[in-house]
Amino acid sequence: MNLDEHIKSWNYASIKILDIRHALMEQGEELRGYHLPASSFLFSVRGSARILLNGTEYMSEGFHVLHGGKGLSLDIMLTGGEFEYYLVFYRAILPMPCRQEIISMIERNRPFHIQYGFAPQHAISLLHKVRDMEEGWRLQASLGHFHVKVSFYQFVYQLLCQLEVQGIKTQKPELVAQAVRYIHEYYSMPITLESLAEGLNYSSSHLSIQFKDKIGLSPIGYLIQVRVSTAADLLVTTDAALHEIAASIGYADVNYFSRIFKKEKGVSPGKFRSKANAEKAVKDNAMISKRLSIVPHRNRRYIDNDNRYLFSREGDLSMYRNRKSSTLAILLMCFTLLMGACSSSVSNSNANTNGGTGTANERPSQSQTNGDTSKSGNNKTDSNSTAGTEVRTKIVKTVLGDVEIPAEPKSIVSIGLEDMLLSLEAPLVQAGGNEGDYLYEKLKEKKIPVITSSSTPNFEAILAAKPDLIIIINGYVDQAGYEKLSEIAPTLAYDRDSWKASIVEIGKALNREEKANAIIQAYDDKLKQAREKIIQTVGSDKTVALIRTSEKEADLFFPSFPYGGVLYNDLGVTPSASVAEFQKKTEEDWGYTLSLEMLPELNSDYLFVTAGYSGALESDIQKELENVKELEKLQVWKAMSAAKQNHVYKISARHWMLNGPIAESMKIDDVVQALTGSK
């Protein structure tokens, strides 16, 4: 590391403190596979532990400092009785405009992403600063947070001085090794090139080039190989059904899984299993024991971008530490004792993570008297109910089992389905989201607390909301995470891509089926009017294309891409013929990545360009729009048919990269405004 340039980088950057955590780990606790959602300092003050930061081992005894960038993996294993530490999360950005040499220097050194760890010689001064920061952060006031920033700069200044004096070596995380490690650990989660690059704090084009140079495959190609290899092992060693295996490796569509498997292995999954079993029978006639179901993966953290499900740029900064005893059960018990409430245990023995696809059968539970929490048969009393009050429950049937929920839910926590639940006017007591979300202001207006969406649920925040029902986006958690949520309250999961089907099922569960159908009808009426207006204004023979740009490439989205359907399929215009041509070149169903040189091949009458991502802040959107302006100066851009006709329209990814009645309605407004000049 060039220390002089490193110091200059800190001097030029604008710093935003995202969170400060003070934690005490006790014997039996450990932290595994926590991916840093932002650049971070870990400052240990007491105890001893073995810390792995992106695979590099540090032995921490007493005072110790570690620094790592966004996306690095953190593991903490105690080597003593306890371990106390502080975590400071921050984000560094360059204010614009900025001289090109400064930008080049920071891009070359990546100072806020480098990794190092050492025992400081003058730790007490650092301790004072980090304690000041933590105390100021807890004040939750503007002046307190300003004090935090002042203390942070003083902390960094003293740290840099000690780095220089002690001659500490730093290292840049090896990008491809990070990506490979992440893919092997989280292959069962929805991963795209963009989400992987975003999680590692690199551009998708840079990651793709580096990955291909070292591995010989694209990141997604490597991901497919890992998934198929895992599926092949499960086909041979378990009796699990194909849809179970497909879901366990990240494919919700079993037919798509079969196509991918056949392309990689040359035979269908069924034939592969039959052939393997036949060979095994010939080789060994002894009794072969098989696992009857897939062993649940250990709790994985989620990464994705707006191409599917949830994504947070900064991420929820909470961590879930594994304890050999049941930490969550203890937390629940302590919370109950503190609140002085009598609670019945919440049991969902047949619960599952799939969205509801059946009907809800209602039934009353027996009256509770004198605080008695006993149950008769399958009837259940809500854990938040008052003694002596009868609470009815009903069964929501799902494809893998039944979930018992309150007949009239009064306090719902949502993660990822806020669009539909807001439309249904559901009684939300907490929602997932970020400051840049298109629903953020609406949620704030309704005084619904917004908890930052992240790779894992914020169990503590959800528990504090005291919900009687939790509704999440399908695929957000694995089985272990689902069970933890179900310990707090009955939990249902639904798909967001097919929002019309999901809103009807949610409506059934919440006794709002009539309202759900009315929402769909109102949306269809708006769609019909918009289509008629567009056809009347521009005709029915016009073609469109939907892209998202970066500095050196553009993603062309296909009609099968769930977030572009309203443009391609519903509004009276048709996908450009060139879209179909690019579809022939790939097996991907979402789209195709174009180099800038290929842009003139994109022959469409109208071109819609998404800016940013679903949780982008206004500053991020503006930055992306500036990048598009730079592309518009290029000859390859000007050579596009839509550009020649001045038919290029920039739209916000905040709502275009998500689905739901509100988001889809906003998309309709965008297209009508662009093509007709009015809403």
Side-chain angles (χ1 to χ4, degrees), residues 17 283 315 362 369 386 408 488 572 631:
I17 309 300
K283 228 180 214 186
E362 188 174 319
T369 58
T386 305
E408 296 287 344
I488 300 174
L631 292 177

Side-chain angles (χ1 to χ4, degrees), residues 476-533:
Y476 178 54
V477 294
D478 62 5
Q479 185 65 27
Y482 178 81
E483 289 171 357
K484 292 184 180 76
L485 288 174
S486 297
E487 289 182 47
I488 300 174
T491 302
L492 301 174
Y494 297 92
D495 182 50
R496 187 168 61 196
D497 291 353
S498 304
W499 70 266
K500 287 185 178 181
S502 291
I503 202 171
V504 170
E505 293 303 322
I506 296 173
K508 290 178 182 178
L510 303 183
N511 303 316
R512 286 169 165 78
E513 185 175 3
E514 185 175 334
K515 185 168 185 61
N517 289 324
I519 290 168
I520 294 172
Q521 185 60 55
Y523 173 79
D524 288 343
D525 291 343
K526 179 174 183 173
L527 191 63
K528 180 181 178 182
Q529 294 173 9
R531 182 167 55 246
E532 291 173 351
K533 189 172 186 177

Side-chain angles (χ1 to χ4, degrees), residues 2-13 94 98-112 172:
N2 184 320
L3 190 60
D4 184 56
E5 290 191 348
H6 187 75
I7 294 171
K8 284 182 180 178
S9 300
W10 276 100
N11 191 41
Y12 281 106
L94 270 182
C98 186
R99 299 201 310 273
Q100 183 58 47
E101 60 264 30
I102 301 301
I103 297 174
S104 300
M105 178 186 70
I106 289 182
E107 288 179 348
R108 180 173 64 252
N109 294 318
R110 295 184 61 79
F112 312 109
K172 287 185 180 179

Side-chain angles (χ1 to χ4, degrees), residues 16-32:
K16 179 180 180 181
I17 309 300
L18 304 179
D19 201 4
I20 298 173
R21 294 293 172 92
H22 180 203
L24 175 63
M25 297 177 66
E26 297 176 345
Q27 193 165 12
E29 287 187 330
E30 60 182 16
L31 181 68
R32 291 280 190 174

Side-chain angles (χ1 to χ4, degrees), residues 27-173:
Q27 193 165 12
E29 287 187 330
E30 60 182 16
L31 181 68
R32 291 280 190 174
Y34 178 68
H35 282 261
L36 298 178
S39 297
S40 313
F41 285 104
L42 187 153
F43 183 54
S44 62
V45 298
R46 183 158 54 94
S48 60
R50 176 171 167 259
I51 302 176
L52 294 178
L53 187 57
N54 217 46
T56 301
E57 182 174 312
Y58 300 89
M59 295 304 297
S60 175
E61 293 185 0
F63 292 110
H64 201 273
V65 177
L66 287 100
H67 179 270
K70 178 180 178 180
L72 298 192
S73 177
L74 176 66
D75 300 271
I76 302 177
M77 289 76 68
L78 270 65
T79 56
E82 61 183 14
F83 183 65
E84 182 180 4
Y85 64 93
Y86 292 84
L87 258 175
V88 181
F89 299 95
Y90 71 93
R91 184 174 67 180
I93 59 174
L94 270 182
M96 293 298 173
C98 186
R99 299 201 310 273
Q100 183 58 47
E101 60 264 30
I102 301 301
I103 297 174
S104 300
M105 178 186 70
I106 289 182
E107 288 179 348
R108 180 173 64 252
N109 294 318
R110 295 184 61 79
F112 312 109
H113 203 67
I114 61 174
Q115 175 183 335
Y116 56 83
F118 70 103
Q121 291 177 351
H122 305 287
I124 299 300
S125 59
L126 295 175
L127 176 63
H128 289 323
K129 297 306 175 188
V130 79
R131 282 179 173 173
D132 284 346
M133 282 189 277
E134 197 265 341
E135 182 179 346
W137 190 256
R138 282 191 282 108
L139 293 178
Q140 292 298 317
S142 298
L143 191 58
H145 282 198
F146 181 73
H147 178 72
V148 169
K149 183 174 285 191
V150 172
S151 297
F152 179 79
Y153 277 112
Q154 291 174 338
F155 174 85
V156 172
Y157 170 75
Q158 293 183 16
L159 193 68
L160 292 176
C161 290
Q162 296 193 44
L163 272 175
E164 186 175 31
V165 171
Q166 295 181 230
I168 302 301
K169 293 183 178 180
T170 62
Q171 63 185 83
K172 287 185 180 179

